[in-house]
Amino acid sequence: QVQLVESGGGLVQAGGSLRLSCAASGSTFSISAMGWYRQAPGKQRELVADISSGGRTNYADSVKGRFTISRDNAKNTVYLQMNSLKPDDTAVYYCNRGFYGGSYYPTDYWGQGTQVTVSS
């Protein structure tokens, strides 16, 4: 059973930074693709960034140049560094273990989410 636990959310002013962490249980983390999603009130959950087992990354256009996804396989942890935050980044952020089939696909392994609120 895979468990994902996010942390690092909070309230920040526009232009500020936050780093989210997602700690994963299980021995297969190092060979798993991982993704960060977010869901704002009244909106669908959207993929923000994903990272392959080998460290290849992809980003949504809305966060390119501001967010960085990374992973530490020794710690079974994936990170999302968020800089130059905007009020539109306000959402609950979730990590997910997924796979690639041309693009990133989520599985049913989700964390509980961490709230990010950006004030203007």
Side-chain angles (χ1 to χ4, degrees), residues 1 4 14 20-21 23 27-28 34 44 46 55-56 59 71 74 79 82-83 85-87 89-90 92 105 108 110:
Q1 184 75 6
L4 304 173
L20 307 183
S21 300
S27 60
T28 59
M34 298 295 296
Q44 287 189 332
E46 63 172 347
R56 187 178 65 242
Y59 298 93
R71 64 191 299 159
Y79 303 98
M82 306 186 295
N83 298 329
L85 282 162
K86 306 175 181 179
D89 296 318
T90 295
V92 178
Y105 287 88
D108 290 336
W110 296 93

Side-chain angles (χ1 to χ4, degrees), residues 5-120:
V5 180
E6 301 100 334
S7 61
L11 173 64
V12 64
Q13 289 188 330
S17 299
L18 284 173
R19 187 176 84 152
L20 307 183
S21 300
C22 172
S25 65
S27 60
T28 59
F29 176 83
S30 63
I31 62 172
S32 298
M34 298 295 296
W36 281 100
Y37 284 73
R38 67 185 180 186
Q39 187 167 21
K43 295 187 177 180
Q44 287 189 332
R45 192 171 296 190
E46 63 172 347
L47 179 62
V48 174
D50 57 82
I51 186 166
S52 72
S53 58
R56 187 178 65 242
T57 59
N58 295 291
Y59 298 93
D61 287 344
S62 59
V63 306
K64 277 181 183 176
R66 300 188 298 122
F67 289 12
T68 303
I69 188 171
S70 62
R71 64 191 299 159
D72 185 337
N73 289 337
K75 296 182 178 180
N76 275 20
T77 301
V78 61
Y79 303 98
L80 186 68
Q81 178 67 42
M82 306 186 295
N83 298 329
S84 302
L85 282 162
K86 306 175 181 179
D88 283 349
D89 296 318
T90 295
V92 178
Y93 284 71
Y94 300 89
C95 69
N96 174 265
R97 190 178 87 164
F99 62 95
Y100 288 108
S103 59
Y104 183 89
Y105 287 88
T107 66
D108 290 336
Y109 294 112
W110 296 93
Q112 82 288 352
T114 186
Q115 176 71 47
V116 172
T117 303
V118 184
S119 63
S120 58

